[in-house]
């Protein structure tokens, strides 16, 4: 049994409900029983016999689909309302394939009567609707015929069960039980129900009449268990189709709400992780800034020393001495015919002017200066040589760091 199901069932003098945690409640009027239901969990409703029409049938078919059509046709002949206004199901007693034949009881409930009964349950329509007679039938001996008398609300019910299925139901006035039971047996026999019983199930409230009822039914009495655990929701479901649709919509809504909640939780987790990561990065940045602030005096001192060395480099590096630079320039002359007429050395700059026998010699001198590794600290630039009247070429070369 689904342990989360709450069962509403008629009882002697009213209604009561069963919850998995607390068992059966006290007997209450129908509206009060509905109001006292636990706020959570699906509801199963056991319909009282006063709303049920039961017809015993023997039909020449064994296929469930064929049986449904045949049952609807038979009910059209006997029901006081159009069959389309009812919810009905067959209760199979026995069946054989060859020749195809089935004994069954067809149960029908008028839709408007069921809707009127469940009106107080509008906010929590039952997930499954069964018959109180089916709950009673589960206490009857299987594979045998039995009868039962029990109380529902203000009514006394007489029922016949065959192979665990109700095949005859009738409400009795309850004035003269033995006589009324005998008359009900005659009605059951005319309806085609079994009347030779092995057991008579009796409501504990009717225990004083056990002996007389046993004589009337011809079978020993056995007490019904009104506090028995209700069975799991199974068998035919008399709930209206629109109730199932509403339940399906509600289930989809609940599922969407759960998914939205899961997405929201995931989003919050991501936000928390994001803020945590940002906080961690801020802490790291703060530590780095503190470390940089700690190292800044050392770095500033190193940069100051480097600047001083660069300032002093021309004075202390031999490669930057003017005489050494002039020596390297002279060593780069490609020909003794080239004459240097001007050599200037200022901090970070060289200026060389002179004359070459021809323009190609002037260009070759500029290229030789660029290739001299001892002068790699300078970047030499030379414009086109100027040709003189005596066919010699005048050049100007500038060297910059």
């Amino acid at each position: 049994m689904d342990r989360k199901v709450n069962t509403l069932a008629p009882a002697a003098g009213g209604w009561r409900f069963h919850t998995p945690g607390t068992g059966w409640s006290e007997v209450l009027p129908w509206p009060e029983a509905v109001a006292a239901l636990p706020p959570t969990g699906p509801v199963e409703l056991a319909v009282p016999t006063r709303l049920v029409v039961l017809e015993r049938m023997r039909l020449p078919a064994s296929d469930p689909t064929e049986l449904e059509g045949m049952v609807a046709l038979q009910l059209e002949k006997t029901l006081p309302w159009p069959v389309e206004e009812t919810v009905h199901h067959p209760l199979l007693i026995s069946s054989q394939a060859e020749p195809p034949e089935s004994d069954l009881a067809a149960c029908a409930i008028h839709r408007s009567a069921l809707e009127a009964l469940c009106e107080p349950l509008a906010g929590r329509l039952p997930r499954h609707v069964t018959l109180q007679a089916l709950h009673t039938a589960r206490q009857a001996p299987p594979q045998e015929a039995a009868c039962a008398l029990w109380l529902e609300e203000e009514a006394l019910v007489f029922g016949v069960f065959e192979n665990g299925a109700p095949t005859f139901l009738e409400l009795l006035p309850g004035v003269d039980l033995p006589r009324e039971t005998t008359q009900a047996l005659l009605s059951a026999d005319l309806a085609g129900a079994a009347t030779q019983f092995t057991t008579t199930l009796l409501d504990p409230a009717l225990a004083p009449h056990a002996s007389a009822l046993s004589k009337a039914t011809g079978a020993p009495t056995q007490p019904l268990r009104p506090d028995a655990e209700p069975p799991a929701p199974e068998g035919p479901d008399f709930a209206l189709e629109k109730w199932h649709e509403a339940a399906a919509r509600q289930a989809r809504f609940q599922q969407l709400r759960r998914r939205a909640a899961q997405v929201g939780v995931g989003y919050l987790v991501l936000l928390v992780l994001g803020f945590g990561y940002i906080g961690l990065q801020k802490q790291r940045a703060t530590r780095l800034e503190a470390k940089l602030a700690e190292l800044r005096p050392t770095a500033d001192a190193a940069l100051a020393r480097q600047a001083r060395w660069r300032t002093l480099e021309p004075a202390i590096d031999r490669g930057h001495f003017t005489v050494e630079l002039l020596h390297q320039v002279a060593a780069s002359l490609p020909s003794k015919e080239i004459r240097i007429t001007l050599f200037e050395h200022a901090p970070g700059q060289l200026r060389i002017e002179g004359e070459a026998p021809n323009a190609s010699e002037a260009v070759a001198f500029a290229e030789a200066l660029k290739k001299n590794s001892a002068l790699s600290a300078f970047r030499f630039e030379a414009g086109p040589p100027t040709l003189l009247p005596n066919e010699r070429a005048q050049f100007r070369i500038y060297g910059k760091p």
Side-chain angles (χ1 to χ4, degrees):
M1 179 180 178
D2 184 349
R3 304 307 297 172
K4 297 181 180 179
V5 172
N6 302 306
T7 303
L8 267 170
W15 287 76
R16 58 183 184 161
F17 60 87
H18 181 277
T19 62
T22 60
W24 288 105
S25 71
E26 61 179 344
V27 177
L28 299 168
W30 168 244
E32 295 180 17
V34 171
L37 273 175
T40 59
V43 176
E44 181 193 26
L45 174 66
V47 175
T49 306
R50 62 181 172 84
L51 299 182
V52 179
V53 175
L54 188 70
E55 295 287 340
R56 180 76 155 75
M57 299 179 184
R58 177 171 291 178
L59 300 175
S62 59
D63 181 77
T65 304
E66 293 182 22
L67 286 175
E68 287 182 6
M70 291 182 178
V71 166
L73 290 174
Q74 292 297 319
L75 288 175
E76 283 183 351
K77 302 174 184 178
T78 58
L79 288 178
W81 331 281
V83 70
E84 295 81 10
E85 295 180 8
T86 68
V87 53
H88 55 273
H89 291 283
L91 303 176
L92 189 64
I93 301 168
S94 64
S95 179
Q96 63 181 31
E98 292 297 335
E101 188 177 67
S102 297
D103 283 340
L104 54 88
C107 293
I109 304 174
H110 198 222
R111 291 176 181 268
S112 61
L114 185 58
E115 288 178 334
L117 175 68
C118 294
E119 187 174 353
L121 280 166
R124 295 179 62 192
L125 291 173
R127 187 186 71 174
H128 188 270
V129 176
T130 184
L131 309 178
Q132 179 62 16
L134 285 175
H135 285 190
T136 305
R138 289 183 174 90
Q139 297 189 39
Q143 311 301 323
E144 296 180 12
C147 66
L149 288 102
W150 70 95
L151 297 171
E152 291 181 5
E153 301 177 304
E154 305 302 326
L156 174 63
V157 183
F158 174 79
V160 175
F161 306 103
E162 300 176 47
N163 294 336
T167 58
F168 179 80
L169 296 172
E170 186 172 318
L171 301 181
L172 304 182
V175 178
D176 186 348
L177 284 182
R179 184 174 63 83
E180 293 169 5
T181 302
T182 302
Q183 292 176 350
L185 286 171
L186 291 174
S187 299
D189 189 47
L190 290 175
T195 54
Q196 299 298 317
F197 310 121
T198 60
T199 306
T200 299
L201 299 172
L202 201 61
D203 193 300
L206 303 176
H209 306 281
S211 178
L213 292 173
S214 178
K215 290 179 181 180
T217 61
T221 60
Q222 175 181 323
L224 282 168
R225 302 186 307 276
D227 293 328
E229 186 86 0
E234 59 184 15
D237 183 9
F238 292 86
L240 301 183
E241 185 62 31
K242 61 182 179 181
W243 294 355
H244 289 302
E245 293 173 356
R249 288 194 298 270
Q250 182 67 17
R252 288 194 295 269
F253 174 75
Q254 294 295 339
Q255 185 177 17
L256 288 174
R257 190 164 70 174
R258 285 194 298 270
R259 289 182 178 175
Q262 292 171 354
V263 170
V265 170
Y267 180 70
L268 288 176
V269 170
L270 289 177
L271 282 179
V272 170
L273 292 176
F275 282 121
Y277 179 76
I278 292 173
L280 180 62
Q281 294 302 315
K282 285 184 176 179
Q283 289 181 357
R284 293 182 61 186
T286 302
R287 288 196 297 267
L288 287 174
E289 289 178 357
K291 190 67 176 177
L292 288 174
E294 181 182 346
L295 295 176
R296 186 171 290 112
T298 304
D300 291 344
L303 290 174
R305 285 195 299 271
Q306 185 178 15
R308 287 196 299 272
W309 280 108
R310 286 181 178 175
T311 303
L312 295 173
E313 186 177 16
I316 60 177
D317 187 356
R318 182 179 177 181
H320 287 79
F321 290 176
T322 301
V323 173
E324 181 63 23
L325 291 174
L326 180 59
H327 172 73
Q328 293 299 329
V329 168
S332 300
L333 291 172
S335 171
K336 294 181 179 181
E337 299 295 325
I338 297 176
R339 297 288 182 267
I340 296 175
T341 59
L342 176 66
F343 179 82
E344 288 185 353
H345 176 215
Q349 183 177 355
L350 284 179
R351 180 183 175 190
I352 305 170
E353 294 182 6
E355 295 181 7
N358 50 58
S360 60
E361 291 285 342
V363 173
F365 177 48
E367 292 300 322
L369 290 173
K370 295 177 181 180
K371 295 179 181 179
N372 190 333
S373 59
L375 299 173
S376 60
F378 295 92
R379 180 170 53 85
F380 290 97
E381 295 178 358
T386 301
L387 297 178
L388 301 175
N390 56 2
E391 297 184 357
R392 293 180 67 84
Q394 188 178 45
F395 56 83
R396 293 181 180 85
I397 302 174
Y398 298 93
K400 299 179 180 179

